[in-house]
Amino acid sequence: MAKSRTAPGQEDLTPRYRDVRALSEALAAPLSDADATAQSMPDASPAKWHLAHTSWFFETFVLRDHLPSYRPFDPHYAYLFNSYYEGEGERHARPLRGMLTRPSLDDILSYRAHVDAALLAALPGMDPQAQALVMLGLQHEQQHQELMLTDIQHLLSLNPLEPALFDAPSGMPAALPGAIHWIEGRQGLVEIGDDGKGDFAFDCEGPRHKALLHPHALAHRPVTNAEWIGFIEDGGYRDPALWLSDGWAWTQAEAIAAPLYWRQEQQGWTRFGLDGRKPVNPAAPVCHISLYEADAYARWAGARLPTEEEWESGALNVPPTSGNQLDGPACPRPQATDDNSALTRMFGDVWEWTGSAYRPYPGFHADDGALGEYNGKFMSGQFVLKGGSCATPRGHVRASYRNFFYPHQRWQFTGLRLAKDL
Amino acid sequence: MAKSRTAPGQEDLTPRYRDVRALSEALAAPLSDADATAQSMPDASPAKWHLAHTSWFFETFVLRDHLPSYRPFDPHYAYLFNSYYEGEGERHARPLRGMLTRPSLDDILSYRAHVDAALLAALPGMDPQAQALVMLGLQHEQQHQELMLTDIQHLLSLNPLEPALFDAPSGMPAALPGAIHWIEGRQGLVEIGDDGKGDFAFDCEGPRHKALLHPHALAHRPVTNAEWIGFIEDGGYRDPALWLSDGWAWTQAEAIAAPLYWRQEQQGWTRFGLDGRKPVNPAAPVCHISLYEADAYARWAGARLPTEEEWESGALNVPPTSGNQLDGPACPRPQATDDNSALTRMFGDVWEWTGSAYRPYPGFHADDGALGEYNGKFMSGQFVLKGGSCATPRGHVRASYRNFFYPHQRWQFTGLRLAKDL
Amino acid sequence: MAKSRTAPGQEDLTPRYRDVRALSEALAAPLSDADATAQSMPDASPAKWHLAHTSWFFETFVLRDHLPSYRPFDPHYAYLFNSYYEGEGERHARPLRGMLTRPSLDDILSYRAHVDAALLAALPGMDPQAQALVMLGLQHEQQHQELMLTDIQHLLSLNPLEPALFDAPSGMPAALPGAIHWIEGRQGLVEIGDDGKGDFAFDCEGPRHKALLHPHALAHRPVTNAEWIGFIEDGGYRDPALWLSDGWAWTQAEAIAAPLYWRQEQQGWTRFGLDGRKPVNPAAPVCHISLYEADAYARWAGARLPTEEEWESGALNVPPTSGNQLDGPACPRPQATDDNSALTRMFGDVWEWTGSAYRPYPGFHADDGALGEYNGKFMSGQFVLKGGSCATPRGHVRASYRNFFYPHQRWQFTGLRLAKDL
Amino acid sequence: MAKSRTAPGQEDLTPRYRDVRALSEALAAPLSDADATAQSMPDASPAKWHLAHTSWFFETFVLRDHLPSYRPFDPHYAYLFNSYYEGEGERHARPLRGMLTRPSLDDILSYRAHVDAALLAALPGMDPQAQALVMLGLQHEQQHQELMLTDIQHLLSLNPLEPALFDAPSGMPAALPGAIHWIEGRQGLVEIGDDGKGDFAFDCEGPRHKALLHPHALAHRPVTNAEWIGFIEDGGYRDPALWLSDGWAWTQAEAIAAPLYWRQEQQGWTRFGLDGRKPVNPAAPVCHISLYEADAYARWAGARLPTEEEWESGALNVPPTSGNQLDGPACPRPQATDDNSALTRMFGDVWEWTGSAYRPYPGFHADDGALGEYNGKFMSGQFVLKGGSCATPRGHVRASYRNFFYPHQRWQFTGLRLAKDL
Ligand SMILES: [Fe+3]
Ligand SMILES: [Fe+3]
Ligand SMILES: [Fe+3]
Ligand SMILES: [Fe+3]
């Protein structure tokens, strides 16, 4: 995922630190040691690994570098829990993260407590540069909170028992949302990118810069499951003319004919989620689709995906803490009564694929050192997603936030909103 | 591995049943839920899976088929814990066994208790045919006890922490065993294969049949680690003239230059075992080698591997319960003072690769039904190993016992004994 | 590669048709039937296949669709020589193109003569729409001329004899080009994309549109081999901090340490080309590098890659027929005496990687029907290259031309020019 | 394949040399340069490569080693045309043989002429040891003649045009062969293996040794296509109970449901051969089946495969030059009127899979040096086939001849004969 380090305002970080760290543990609370250990694919990581890696981040970039008296909990952990920082040396091979049956989940919780104790003791006297790194570490941990949930969902989906992590209201609505309305966007020169006024942004969100928008409109809401079923029933997955070439090859090689976690049963489509297997809710935004699927759908619908600049410009006046974000059960929610005179549900529910490749904003430079690896080195082959999801901790996302995944990936809470030229 | 169903003598199987089942749980006792869940490679299975699968075997072939009142513990388990019996229907994909974070280890222990209660209650009144299946199930479970240990060892070896499951005496000897002595074998027609007199044999061990032995001798003891280091230092792993063509390709593709689990450190060779990483003991039999390596070594030594008939004939007068079998820590043991006037250490320590492909003994026919799949369908591409190992439950192995693995596999306790033509 | 269909001016296409078709055959003249048949990798195609496929293109989209009396040369050829047009039905699997030892090269030349005769006879009376398709077919064939050369070079490079297709002057210069000078680019709003005034452009080059350029400069010339050797000797291929994450993984998996076709010999670096193996010429532009390598070099040099908009804007006043394009031997040429006060060598020698992902220009829509597959469906995962190469037929390329390849591909004549922010 | 070097009788080898060498060229005569260059899979080699490699064999082991004045045709050829002799140094990678568009077929024919001239000039004065190597080279070339034909057939089968190399009589018979008759074999001790009396045998055919045969019978003829269709129609390819475990996995992974080259068309089964695509002839022996298929068929038929000792013993009184061997078009032939009182068609038509793994005969030792690699190093993972085929040069095969392939391979002319226990 992503990162940066705008200096925090003069905020006292202690309560925020406590809250973020506690949420990680709360999210992991329903997991057994085994649940927290298994790795379902190389793209995913064990929950235990997320819990440890986020602690390693504080231990390394804050405590080691800024608190000379700090003693690491276990000198082996740097090797085990470094993710991808070449500048931090050798590390455990990513596809083998599931082999770490030890340290146990309890050991990792002890590790977390050790790091927390040291950090909370030091925090009040910390210099601003170190405090900025604490803020970065908290934002980093929030990113991993979302990944931890999506990775757990993927793991549980491979268990024929299809266990649920929690119950969620099925929320079958009385009515479907009405047809899409097109909301005209700004055109001409607009300013986007991090404006440096918030309490935090990742490096890749900046610099603030002008962008040129051509005449366009965005749909007032995301595409729903009901609409997606229309696409399926119209043969959308079987018509190569709708697909990017790489996408079509992917559907053929992987036998893709529906979103991830969907299954066609006698009584209709069902999907697996953290709340178990349930009927697909027609009024909820479609979720767990790849960029390839989003792009094919848009072509089928006579539309296109928004560019990230169009999306970001459109979101500038939408409160980023609005919408279905991570307060309770992480599931996209149906909604029948959207206001259709403005952009709705820009934040929360599902990350929205844009048609923009993840490349640097004009003037972007990665930092020196290991933390410069946070975002910049991932700028090839991926597409930008915007807006956060039902698994994004509320307060984490904003208009300039740039999430990114490869076009075939779909185990995140990913959906789409249509755009068109005017 | 292997199987059959000679009718048991009129033995009361109750104590044997209790002992075998208890041993599985004792072996798994040091494992956490996570340790018991992870799968390190498709060839290996999680410990939890072994504990459940062996219970499924009793549940299916004994309780379901012979005890009409039996209620399965959980109807999903037949799908989860069938190994390879096509006759028993669809099953969970082998490479995904490590995804079963649920049921938990505790659930599986409850499953075992449920099966044990039903089986022990029914055992006294069971007809001989069902009792024969109980005996088969116990032998089956003993095979899985060994596999469970070797699978755990493999899993722990992939953890950079290299945790030990137990302590074992390092046993560095005062002296190395002396040079190999050649023990002349029988020649001409001999009778081998299961004679039907023991209390059990797997189907593939029979029928009893005549075999023709050509003049030959076997080494009085297995090849030691000290001798293997000589092979390494003489460039044995770098000389293609010593290797089978498939074996040489394997060494090149996998960068093989020493037995599995060995590592060259400044102070010399070490190896990983269930007792952790320790120096290689020069007086212990070499272990964790593939057939390819065994064959190359034998060629380097100017010798060859024994045929399974030569080995079995040689073992006919050696007590099969002798040697270092599974009583305590499962590690091959050094021994400096072997008697060199007879075949020693034929049983225990390491399975000895033979030069015989695993094909049916003359007159062999697999049974009808799912249990006919136990052994017969594996008779291509594998080689026979003889004699049991330090991880074989004492009492399980005998001269006619035929273990089998692919020539590149070496995560079992596998070694070799030399043979030569006379 | 790419395509479109601007209506041709009232040009008589006959001489152009003859010239383009004749060039393909002249390029293939040094090839034996075997040379023209083999396929060196799935990305490449046999020369014979290029010769046939370009004829199939005319046969299908012009003759079949616009000349009712036309009889196909062989009804099987549509299956054999369709490249990727799903709209044209089933086709021979791409990785198996090298299995087509028949039809022979002579058969294909007869096929070409058959198509040429029909097309040249019909051309004078053809309606403008069909003439536009002829023009498209000729532009298509020019693209395949370049591919044919690069594919042959790749094939010959896998032959340990390293045969040369032709001799070329070694051109070792008296002096190296001087240091890079930075040429400031336009900033603010510029107009780029096909302006509809030329005699042809591919669909993806349009529509004409405004783009916003931020303050920047481009190097006056491409990076040279001498400079690249500096990168190598400074450890550029061994420092992960310089690389995109995917690029670093690629260098590790493929053991990449120099441009394609380079080899380090006692007397220095050599490279393979259509003129055989020769010393690397320090004054020539570096060639056969991937986007990953280009990007790493730029980072090492404290610069970046140009965006395609910057490049296109910079090229607007450079004659697109200038530079080392395909007149004779297809090899990048050294040049010591470049004028350094302006952008030089924008066209020819090497395609220049840009930092822009190949995505649609604003307002782009692919056509309906099979020809709509020409360009649009490739708009994921690839990067744009600009300017043509020594293997591009002179007259084929222009400022708005958008070539595209995956970031790891480097068997085309690919190089780079640096850019920087001002 | 295989090799040895029994000293030739005092035969003048000149006419034999001329005949064998001429046959290779006659077999290749219908091939274009392209046909002779392409490689259809790593298991197969280009015809040109076979023609060159067999010449390299003479050049290396006879001319270089025994004729000091000999000058190699081209010093690069040793690298290009060594197959697998590690003792002869580095060589061109097997999967890249199809990249050798040069040297051309004409070049290779010149190479052959160069070797022939030198060898025929030297042959009269050659010492017996060198003459033995010439004999080995001729036997080696005969093996490659068969491989060349099967490799060409495989290559042509991948061409959608399915070209025929020659015409062959379709030979649809008036009547099918009658039911199988069982011919009882010898039992007890028999002598098999090369007896040293013929003019040649490969090393792996010896030494002569006693073998113990258990009571058994062999079918008087091979299994026919008509019988195989019965197996298909009875669901033989869909019943896992019939298959070896590895075989079943192979059918699932490769979607195997009929012999190689078979296709089900509206009017019935057809097969591809060197004579093009033709209806399957019900009276001909089934061909192009794997060991897995042969084994499954035998189980379905309530029988088993013969051991190689049973087969060899049974063939001792059958003339090895009998049957449909390579005189004209290489196709298995139908035959309705077999004598059913004795073993018929043991030689020719199809290689018969045995149930014996290819392991050394008792007392076998490979020679020292590169030629010791001819057979011995292939003795793992493969099964023995007996009897030669329609593509085996007449005079090449004998009862002790041991051909060998992996159990999934089936592009050779492979079939089966049933056996059973008595
Ligand atoms: Fe992270
Ligand atoms: Fe089992
Ligand atoms: Fe094309
Ligand atoms: Fe050969």
Side-chain angles (χ1 to χ4, degrees), chain B residues 105-159:
Chain B
L105 179 52
D106 280 348
D107 292 336
I108 295 307
L109 293 174
S110 299
Y111 177 35
R112 292 180 64 89
H114 175 89
V115 167
D116 289 351
L119 202 138
L120 285 167
L123 192 53
M126 230 172 240
D127 65 36
Q129 188 192 353
Q131 288 203 21
L133 290 167
V134 173
M135 176 62 109
L136 175 61
L138 293 172
Q139 301 289 335
H140 171 255
E141 182 140 354
Q142 289 184 307
Q143 294 184 311
H144 279 279
Q145 287 164 351
E146 177 154 10
L147 290 170
M148 185 165 67
L149 289 172
T150 54
D151 292 353
I152 293 169
Q153 179 168 325
H154 189 260
L155 170 64
L156 295 178
S157 79
L158 297 181
N159 189 326

Side-chain angles (χ1 to χ4, degrees), chain C residues 222-225 281-287 332-335 345 348-350 415-416:
Chain C
V223 169
T224 61
N225 285 325
N281 189 320
V286 70
C287 190
R333 278 196 215 132
Q335 190 165 340
R345 314 181 89 181
D349 270 325
V350 292
L416 84 155

Side-chain angles (χ1 to χ4, degrees), chain B residues 331-398:
Chain B
C331 291
R333 277 195 216 134
Q335 188 165 344
T337 57
D338 287 339
D339 172 10
N340 65 19
S341 67
L343 297 174
T344 63
R345 315 182 87 183
M346 292 287 277
F347 293 98
D349 271 323
V350 291
W351 286 99
E352 299 182 9
W353 283 108
T354 73
S356 297
Y358 180 53
R359 292 288 300 155
Y361 272 168
F364 168 77
H365 288 96
D367 285 349
D368 290 336
L371 281 171
E373 301 181 46
Y374 203 127
N375 283 306
K377 74 180 183 183
F378 300 107
M379 292 179 174
S380 69
Q382 309 203 42
F383 281 78
V384 173
L385 301 102
K386 289 290 213 176
S389 80
C390 56
T392 307
R394 195 174 301 280
H396 179 67
V397 78
R398 67 212 134 254

Side-chain angles (χ1 to χ4, degrees), chain A residues 86 189 209-212 214 240 243-246 248 292 355 357 359 362-363 365 376-380 383 406 421, chain C residues 86 189 209-212 214 240 243-246 248 292 355 357 359 362-363 365 376-380 383 406 421:
Chain A
E86 303 277 354
L189 293 177
H209 65 282
K210 287 206 174 66
L212 176 64
H214 298 273
W243 292 77
L244 289 164
S245 180
D246 287 351
W248 182 249
Y292 296 134
R359 292 289 300 156
H365 288 95
K377 74 180 183 183
F378 299 108
M379 291 178 174
S380 70
F383 281 78
Y406 289 96
D421 295 329
Chain C
E86 303 276 353
L189 292 177
H209 64 283
K210 286 208 174 64
L212 176 64
H214 298 272
W243 293 76
L244 288 164
S245 180
D246 286 352
W248 182 249
Y292 296 135
R359 292 288 300 155
H365 288 96
K377 74 180 183 182
F378 300 107
M379 291 178 174
S380 70
F383 280 79
Y406 289 97
D421 295 328

Side-chain angles (χ1 to χ4, degrees), chain C residues 35-109:
Chain C
D35 289 335
T37 298
Q39 180 180 31
S40 61
M41 59 172 170
D43 282 348
S45 294
K48 207 168 65 181
W49 189 92
H50 286 296
L51 295 171
H53 162 71
T54 48
S55 304
W56 165 85
F57 193 95
F58 287 111
E59 187 174 69
T60 302
F61 298 116
V62 180
L63 297 173
R64 181 197 64 182
D65 289 355
H66 295 267
L67 192 68
S69 64
Y70 179 73
R71 290 288 163 274
F73 182 73
D74 185 314
H76 297 98
Y77 283 17
Y79 183 85
L80 297 182
F81 300 122
N82 177 2
S83 51
Y84 54 66
Y85 296 89
E86 303 276 353
E88 291 293 328
E90 296 286 306
R91 60 201 176 282
H92 189 55
R94 180 175 186 119
L96 294 181
R97 288 179 183 165
M99 298 297 99
L100 299 176
T101 61
R102 303 166 185 207
S104 68
L105 179 53
D106 281 347
D107 292 337
I108 295 307
L109 293 174

Side-chain angles (χ1 to χ4, degrees), chain D residues 53 83 140 144:
Chain D
H53 162 72
S83 51
H140 171 254
H144 278 279

